[in-house]
Amino acid sequence: MSDTSQHPTPSAAVPALPASEFAWHRLIGVDELDVGRVTTVTVERESLCVTRTESGFGCLANACPHQGGPLGEGSIEGGWLRCPWHGYDYSPRNGTPPPPFDDAPAAYRTEVRSDGVYVALPIAPSRSRTVSDQLVETMTAWGVTWVFGMVGHSNLGFADALREAEAEGSLRFIGVRHEGAASFAATAYGKLTGGLAACFAIAGPGSTNLLTGLYDAKMDRAPVLALSGQVPSSVRGRGAFQDTDLSAAFADVSRYSATVQAGSDAAELMNLACKTALVERDVAHLVLPDEVQVLPAAAPERPAGSPQGRTGDRRVSPAADALDAAADVLSGSKRPMIVVGHGARSGIDDIVALAEAIDAPVATTFKGKGLIADQHPLACGVLGRSGTPIASWFMNEADALVTFGVSFANHTGIASYKPIVQVDFDPMALGRFHAVTVPMLADAGVAARALVGALASRAGSPSAAAEVAARWDIWRAEKQRRQVDDRSSGVNSAVVFEALSRLVPADAVMTVDVGNHAYSFGRYFEPCGQTVLMSGYLGSIGFAFPAAMGCWVATQRAPVSAGGADGSLWAGRPVVSVSGDGGFGQYAMELTTAVKYGMGITHVLLNNGELGKISKEQRAAEFDVWQTSLHNPSFAEFAELCGAMGRQVTAADELDTALSEALAHPGPALVEVLTDPLLV
């Protein structure tokens, strides 16, 4: 079909009116299209190719029957309409191809009227329930009311089901600028609420971009549902465009992964995905081939899946012998200490009650920072490399330890030689790195309540609170000395986090990135009720801002659905994220996403012009500092260009005003603090 001169003259026959019920629609004005030109016009949901030749106006379906090429982007050559993809030719008037071909696009009758060109289109049938609808109905029944992602060519069918659900009010979709932000946002939602959000991407690079955020979820035990479009099954495995083996790519990161095939029980696959993510606190993944997404639901009358009758109470009580053994250890202890990790978030009130009952100081891991307010009489702050000398002092003095939801990572610095009662819901976490005295498989809160009962007769040592207060006095005096250090090279990090300690509301949700600022946050920021999230064991730079987007949606009233919570626990709480310049730069354009959706996020950016943590590591290892400098814009001006509030702080006396204005701003706000890279 490459030489139109060898074709006969294209047929100029006028297409018949549709046999079924139809309606006339205005396409374009008579003078809007010159003779010999082609354009694309959308009428309602249908894309049409409109042509004008010496024979008049034509209107065809805007998809070449060969491979779906957009005929409206084609051209008129020798009187024929040529497909822009592969050069197939059709009559611009009625779609008939030259012989011997007979595959013609649908053609519609046009009519020129005084006010423009009209086309007769069949009245579209009402939308039928598809496999994608069944999948979406099932996941919303499991409480998935927020989806983060990007819409593209290999997930359009499922995207349309999401659109329908959003129109009905059962979920909301947040369109991001990079799929990695989608998975971080969904992960943070799971870390914060324990509930399930979804991330959504196309085949190939869209889905592989999800992997970093999903590994963060896996390593920090957060439930996430990942949804991947896939190329059509007919070309899968044959080297087609964006054809990647997503099942293999996600095999390591996902606890559950399945491909929805034609004939699959779609609702059951979604049931299993949601259940696995929630029960295992892990990643579940579904692959959605392009053609399967739009198939009619196998049983249109069949209801969607739901969690009804699918899960039980996971608040496991400790075994009697483990409880007795733990009571023996603590009854014989004179200086017990409690260490709390992120895994004990849901049971923290019961753990604090245990600490008060046995007069034990409480330290947290870095991931657990904020679970107990630093103002509590028994709180020691963070233990480990990012921690306070208070916590490390009590670790040295303790003669028995009780840990709740702690991984025993080497960054934390738990003394393995001491008697340890380890409480965790995951049997694989018990004694993972070394044997412990009493491994206790149980829910943290349930175990803490049981220990209070078992230790009712234990005599406490009422000096613990006084000792804690004395150690805080020493540390706060040291922090004040550090706050006045000034090399005239930027604001001191100790000053930044002292200001944040005073100004960030006690009910705020805070997300913290990876870098030098994170170590400073662990040491200097004194939480008074804030909830803190971070990329823990993966330690991924770039986490903070997209995670803040995931936390922000948790503060909104959830869409109404069968399984959706109303968000009352987190509703209205402010969201504050903290990062360095290196971390924010990785997902900086998501600031436009926050502006688009009116997200009330205050982002505090410590800009020291380099990857300061890496520079520090190079010095510590006696290497030259190399390739850690960064060329940055004014991030405050960047924020303003994006439509957010932007403020830059160059001196300590500017901090309070800038932070207060940003925290009071109803939309996204960024405070850029130029900091000294060496004073951390």
Side-chain angles (χ1 to χ4, degrees):
M1 288 196 176
S2 60
D3 186 359
T4 55
S5 65
Q6 297 181 13
H7 294 172
T9 301
S11 168
V14 176
L17 288 170
S20 59
E21 189 177 3
F22 66 91
W24 288 95
H25 300 267
R26 187 180 184 278
L27 285 172
I28 55 174
V30 176
D31 297 329
E32 289 183 39
L33 192 66
D34 294 334
V35 174
R37 301 302 306 277
V38 184
T39 192
T40 301
V41 175
T42 299
V43 175
E44 295 180 345
R45 298 183 67 181
E46 185 164 0
S47 180
L48 301 169
C49 166
V50 180
T51 64
R52 187 176 186 182
T53 62
E54 296 292 345
S55 301
F57 289 93
C59 182
L60 311 177
N62 191 33
C64 175
H66 174 224
Q67 283 190 7
L71 294 176
E73 298 175 19
S75 57
I76 303 296
E77 297 185 25
W80 292 91
L81 169 64
R82 170 154 288 190
C83 171
W85 281 9
H86 302 106
Y88 279 55
D89 294 329
Y90 304 96
S91 164
R93 188 77 164 148
N94 56 39
T96 304
F101 303 99
D102 59 4
D103 52 342
Y108 305 107
R109 173 81 66 89
T110 58
E111 185 176 286
V112 177
R113 302 179 185 177
S114 60
D115 63 337
V117 180
Y118 282 71
V119 63
L121 295 178
I123 293 178
S126 58
R127 189 178 183 278
S128 59
R129 187 166 179 252
T130 66
V131 167
S132 292
D133 292 315
Q134 193 173 26
L135 289 165
V136 171
E137 292 162 11
T138 301
M139 75 185 200
T140 56
W142 280 86
V144 181
T145 54
W146 294 94
V147 181
F148 302 86
M150 294 184 72
V151 176
H153 70 281
S154 54
N155 64 23
L156 296 179
F158 194 84
D160 193 61
L162 293 174
R163 179 202 58 76
E164 188 79 4
E166 186 171 59
E168 293 172 354
S170 59
L171 64 75
R172 286 190 60 188
F173 185 84
I174 303 293
V176 299
R177 304 297 293 265
H178 188 281
E179 296 88 352
S183 55
F184 273 131
T187 293
Y189 182 93
K191 289 182 181 183
L192 180 65
T193 68
L196 195 56
C199 51
F200 176 57
I202 65 168
S207 287
T208 58
N209 280 344
L210 296 174
L211 289 173
T212 301
L214 295 179
Y215 269 107
D216 183 63
K218 184 176 191 66
M219 297 182 73
D220 284 355
R221 301 304 298 269
V224 175
L225 176 64
L227 303 165
S228 294
Q230 182 56 292
V231 300
S233 300
S234 60
V235 298
R236 172 73 189 89
R238 297 167 57 193
F241 177 68
Q242 294 188 336
D243 176 13
T244 55
D245 187 346
L246 294 179
S247 296
F250 283 73
D252 182 59
V253 76
S254 56
R255 179 68 66 100
Y256 174 86
S257 183
T259 298
V260 182
Q261 308 282 10
S264 292
D265 189 330
E268 272 304 297
L269 293 181
M270 183 61 83
N271 276 332
L272 284 169
C274 294
K275 178 178 179 177
T276 302
L278 289 167
V279 172
E280 301 289 352
R281 305 186 198 184
D282 212 324
V283 177
H285 177 231
L286 288 179
V287 181
L288 312 168
D290 186 68
E291 82 285 358
V292 175
Q293 297 170 38
V294 295
L295 290 176
E301 73 288 350
R302 180 175 176 178
S306 81
Q308 191 68 31
R310 297 281 183 160
T311 60
D313 191 337
R314 300 191 294 279
R315 292 171 295 181
V316 179
S317 298
D321 57 347
L323 185 61
D324 290 343
D328 288 343
V329 170
L330 293 174
S331 294
S333 167
K334 294 182 179 180
R335 298 182 66 89
M337 180 181 185
I338 293 174
V339 184
V340 184
H342 174 77
R345 186 173 295 276
S346 63
I348 189 59
D349 290 342
D350 294 308
I351 296 168
V352 172
L354 170 64
E356 292 168 348
I358 65 174
D359 201 44
V362 181
T364 74
T365 64
F366 189 27
K367 275 181 60 184
K369 185 176 177 68
L371 288 181
I372 180 171
D374 280 355
Q375 294 72 28
H376 189 282
L378 294 173
C380 305
V382 171
L383 177 67
R385 299 181 189 179
S386 307
T388 69
I390 308 162
S392 60
W393 188 88
F394 278 102
M395 173 58 64
N396 292 333
E397 296 297 316
D399 62 0
L401 306 174
V402 188
T403 72
F404 292 90
V406 172
S407 72
F408 287 77
N410 58 341
H411 281 63
T412 302
I414 295 175
S416 60
Y417 58 87
K418 296 179 184 282
I420 297 173
V421 176
Q422 182 188 1
V423 181
D424 207 287
F425 77 94
D426 182 1
M428 291 303 297
L430 297 172
R432 174 176 288 158
F433 294 111
H434 53 78
V436 296
T437 312
V438 182
M440 183 183 290
L441 180 66
D443 173 83
V446 174
R449 290 196 299 273
L451 284 168
V452 169
L455 296 167
S457 61
R458 179 188 181 276
S461 53
S463 61
E467 288 183 328
V468 170
R471 303 312 302 183
W472 272 110
D473 286 344
I474 295 170
W475 174 229
R476 285 173 177 145
E478 172 61 22
K479 288 203 295 182
Q480 288 180 346
R481 287 190 288 272
R482 295 185 184 187
Q483 288 166 25
V484 298
D485 289 341
D486 187 358
R487 301 186 323 117
S488 299
S489 299
V491 181
N492 189 327
S493 292
V495 174
V496 175
F497 290 108
E498 187 278 330
L500 287 171
S501 297
R502 286 186 289 103
L503 298 174
V504 173
D507 63 343
V509 178
M510 301 184 71
T511 59
V512 182
D513 218 301
V514 173
N516 258 350
H517 70 279
Y519 285 82
S520 299
F521 176 84
R523 293 189 187 104
Y524 301 132
F525 182 79
E526 294 189 17
C528 57
Q530 297 89 351
T531 299
V532 179
L533 299 180
M534 58 191 68
S535 176
Y537 302 121
L538 185 66
S540 178
I541 191 172
F543 168 85
F545 194 79
M549 297 195 303
C551 293
W552 178 84
V553 304
T555 70
Q556 307 305 295
R557 187 65 59 181
V560 177
S561 72
D566 65 5
S568 58
L569 179 63
W570 306 100
R573 294 181 63 170
V575 178
V576 177
S577 55
V578 183
S579 80
D581 45 336
F584 182 74
Q586 296 209 351
Y587 291 102
M589 288 310 299
E590 297 303 336
L591 189 57
T592 63
T593 304
V595 171
K596 176 181 177 181
Y597 294 99
M599 296 180 175
I601 297 170
T602 301
H603 187 74
V604 181
L605 191 159
L606 280 67
N607 180 1
N608 58 20
E610 64 177 278
L611 298 172
K613 178 65 171 63
I614 308 305
S615 299
K616 185 176 180 180
E617 290 173 347
Q618 288 175 329
R619 294 187 191 99
E622 299 183 359
F623 292 115
D624 291 335
V625 174
W626 184 69
Q627 291 293 349
T628 59
S629 63
L630 298 172
H631 177 73
N632 291 326
S634 164
F635 287 108
E637 292 182 13
F638 169 77
E640 293 283 342
L641 288 172
C642 290
M645 171 189 279
R647 296 288 184 271
Q648 188 179 79
V649 172
T650 60
D653 59 5
E654 301 168 357
L655 262 173
D656 279 24
T657 299
L659 290 172
S660 297
E661 289 178 352
L663 289 164
H665 184 66
L670 183 148
V671 178
E672 176 189 16
V673 186
L674 302 185
T675 56
D676 189 323
L678 295 180
L679 292 179
V680 295

